[in-house]
């Protein structure tokens, strides 16, 4: 009798422990599934802006086309890239090799390529159009290719290059955007839920001054030079007589060329690509507005468009959807928890 009671108790204990282990395994699996589907970041956009005209600013066009080539290679499609070029160096009569733009004197890479899609060209590259693009305040007739159709789940890369000074960046040598105007545009984007995270990257003289006025959340920024410093070019091409790329963009491109779509390189590593001994100017960054540590954010979260897929043999049970006209509010809520503010007049 004693033996049977002991055996019974042991069996009960083992059964209880078995049930506990099954529960913990199921809960852990559900948490993993929840984390996988609640990443928040679902799409990528890139806004690439060259603000300079004239042949002697060839390097600025090469800068932006270099970044354009990299983000396309890493998976961001042209439909999610807004490319703004203030001048067309590929078709300039001074260009000895028509329909090409090179960022290296040895002509290793034609960054213009044969499938470039320029969305804003020439005199369409203005401060007004740039601000309207970011904030979504465009005329109804504006085509989709000229719209930034981002949402609250979008990661946006914004790259700008041109001539600048303390607190401003010149457009077309005729107007400029100030750091206050840029900061206010980003705030409008945040209020209108047009982004989840922004990576702002600028290559110009005194570039640090352009992000000092930012006050909106979820922005990571890097600049090619500190206030009071010039951002220098890297090397020239004797066959065309001008410099072909700036130093910071040259080393950033060198880093990106070694990255593939499945890379585990982080934004923290990217922020260190151009130390002062090679850039001559001091590359600076701003991280206080960004919610995560750059060392924990993948580079492809901004420069690529990679979707992680998890394969499982387990059955995932989704809640049923009622066939009735009125859907249970506990399953799907159709009532938004926020509304858009009234827009300012377009004109």
């Amino acid at each position: 009798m004693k033996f049977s009671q002991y055996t019974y108790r042991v069996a009960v204990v083992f059964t209880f422990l078995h049930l506990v282990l099954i529960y913990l395994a199921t809960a852990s699996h559900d948490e993993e599934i929840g984390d996988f589907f609640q990443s928040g970041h679902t799409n990528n956009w890139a806004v690439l802006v060259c603000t300079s005209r004239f042949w002697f600013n060839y390097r600025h066009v090469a800068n932006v086309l270099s970044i354009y080539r990299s983000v396309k290679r890493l998976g961001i499609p042209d439909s999610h890239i807004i490319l703004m070029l203030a001048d067309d160096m590929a078709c300039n009569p001074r260009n000895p090799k028509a329909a090409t733009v090179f960022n290296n004197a040895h002509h290793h890479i034609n960054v213009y390529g044969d499938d470039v899609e320029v969305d804003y060209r020439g005199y369409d590259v203005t401060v007004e159009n740039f601000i309207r693009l970011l904030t979504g305040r465009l005329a109804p007739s504006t085509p989709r290719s000229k719209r930034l159709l981002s949402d609250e789940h979008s990661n946006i890369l914004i790259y700008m290059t041109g001539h600048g000074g303390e607190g401003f960046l010149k457009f077309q040598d005729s107007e400029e955007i100030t750091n206050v105007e840029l900061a206010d545009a980003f705030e409008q984007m945040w209020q209108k839920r047009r982004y989840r995270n922004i990576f702002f990257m600028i290559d110009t003289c005194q570039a640090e001054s352009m992000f000092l006025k930012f006050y909106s959340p979820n922005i990571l920024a890097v600049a090619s030079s500190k206030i009071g410093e010039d951002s220098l070019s890297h090397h020239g091409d004797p066959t065309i007589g001008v410099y072909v790329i700036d130093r910071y963009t040259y080393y950033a491109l060198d880093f990106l060329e070694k990255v593939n779509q499945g890379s585990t390189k982080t934004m923290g590593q990217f922020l260190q690509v151009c130390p002062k001994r090679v850039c001559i100017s001091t590359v600076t960054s701003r991280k206080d507005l960004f919610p995560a540590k750059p060392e924990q954010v993948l580079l492809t979260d901004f420069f690529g468009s990679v979707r992680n897929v998890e394969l499982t043999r387990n059955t995932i049970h989704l809640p049923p959807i009622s066939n009735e006209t009125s859907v249970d509010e506990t399953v799907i809520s159709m009532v938004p928890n926020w509304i858009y503010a009234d827009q300012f007049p377009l004109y």
Side-chain angles (χ1 to χ4, degrees):
M1 180 65 69
K2 291 182 179 179
F3 178 76
S4 61
Q5 288 181 350
Y6 175 77
T7 304
Y8 174 76
R9 290 177 181 177
V10 171
V12 170
V13 170
F14 273 100
T15 302
F16 175 75
L17 291 176
H18 181 67
L19 292 174
V20 169
L21 290 175
I22 292 176
Y23 172 78
L24 292 176
T26 304
S28 176
H29 180 66
D30 290 342
E31 289 178 1
E32 291 178 359
I33 293 175
D35 293 340
F36 181 76
F37 286 108
Q38 294 178 2
S39 62
H41 159 227
T42 62
N43 59 91
N44 288 80
W45 287 80
V47 179
L48 313 177
V49 186
C50 168
T51 65
S52 298
R53 291 185 65 82
F54 309 121
W55 178 250
F56 55 82
N57 291 319
Y58 181 102
R59 66 188 184 278
H60 294 155
V61 175
N63 287 346
V64 77
L65 287 175
S66 298
I67 301 298
Y68 171 78
R69 177 183 179 276
S70 293
V71 297
K72 280 189 67 174
R73 183 179 60 83
L74 292 175
I76 301 182
D78 267 315
S79 59
H80 281 211
I81 300 174
I82 306 296
L83 180 59
M84 307 180 78
L85 293 181
D87 206 344
D88 190 355
M89 299 304 175
C91 297
N92 192 296
R94 295 186 182 183
N95 192 343
K97 295 185 177 181
T100 61
V101 174
F102 295 99
N103 60 4
N104 189 287
H106 300 291
H107 299 177
H108 290 156
I109 303 174
N110 173 21
V111 292
Y112 196 77
D114 55 2
D115 60 348
V116 63
E117 293 186 15
V118 182
D119 302 295
Y120 290 81
R121 186 190 301 271
Y123 289 110
D124 286 339
V125 181
T126 63
V127 174
E128 179 182 357
N129 284 343
F130 178 62
I131 296 296
R132 288 188 180 278
L133 170 72
L134 295 181
T135 59
R137 294 166 56 190
L138 294 164
S141 59
T142 305
R144 288 178 61 90
S145 62
K146 291 189 174 185
R147 293 178 180 269
L148 179 63
L149 301 175
S150 56
D151 55 37
E152 67 269 27
H153 302 298
S154 303
N155 276 7
I156 305 177
L157 164 67
I158 298 178
Y159 173 85
M160 304 185 75
T161 183
H163 289 291
E166 185 172 352
F168 69 90
L169 177 67
K170 291 200 297 183
F171 273 66
Q172 307 272 9
D173 277 347
S174 61
E175 59 177 347
E176 62 274 334
I177 185 172
T178 67
N179 52 6
V180 175
E181 291 171 331
L182 187 60
D184 289 343
F186 285 169
E187 177 61 16
Q188 286 188 54
M189 294 177 70
W190 175 253
Q191 294 291 342
K192 296 168 71 173
R193 298 178 183 265
R194 289 178 60 80
Y195 73 88
R196 178 177 177 82
N197 296 301
I198 286 178
F199 178 52
F200 177 74
M201 181 178 174
I202 183 167
D203 191 347
T204 186
C205 297
Q206 307 193 59
E208 179 190 23
S209 64
M210 291 304 294
F211 61 59
L212 290 182
K213 299 294 184 180
F214 290 175
Y215 55 93
S216 305
N218 296 14
I219 299 178
L220 178 65
V222 64
S224 61
S225 57
K226 293 181 66 175
I227 294 177
E229 291 183 346
D230 292 333
S231 186
L232 304 177
S233 54
H234 187 266
H235 69 276
D237 183 350
T239 63
I240 60 177
V242 293
Y243 287 96
V244 292
I245 194 168
D246 283 325
R247 283 183 173 270
Y248 176 68
T249 300
Y250 176 87
Y251 289 103
L253 178 64
D254 182 62
F255 183 87
L256 292 173
E257 284 296 308
K258 302 170 185 175
V259 174
N260 55 43
Q261 293 186 357
S263 173
T264 57
K265 292 187 181 297
T266 67
M267 294 301 297
Q269 292 173 287
F270 182 76
L271 296 180
Q272 308 297 324
V273 296
C274 195
K276 190 169 184 177
R277 59 183 173 81
V278 294
C279 254
I280 301 179
S281 61
T282 307
V283 176
T284 58
S285 60
R286 184 172 179 186
K287 310 171 187 176
D288 59 303
L289 298 173
F290 199 65
K293 294 181 179 179
E295 293 76 16
Q296 298 174 346
V297 179
L298 290 176
L299 183 72
T300 51
D301 280 358
F302 289 101
F303 286 88
S305 185
V306 180
R307 296 292 164 263
N308 294 324
V309 177
E310 181 176 307
L311 301 178
T312 178
R313 294 178 181 272
N314 300 318
T315 302
I316 300 176
H317 298 284
L318 299 176
I321 298 178
S322 174
N323 293 326
E324 299 178 1
T325 304
S326 60
V327 180
D328 186 0
E329 292 184 357
T330 60
V331 178
I332 299 177
S333 176
M334 301 300 292
V335 180
N337 55 6
W338 51 270
I339 59 174
Y340 284 113
D342 293 335
Q343 296 281 353
F344 290 107
L346 286 175
Y347 299 104

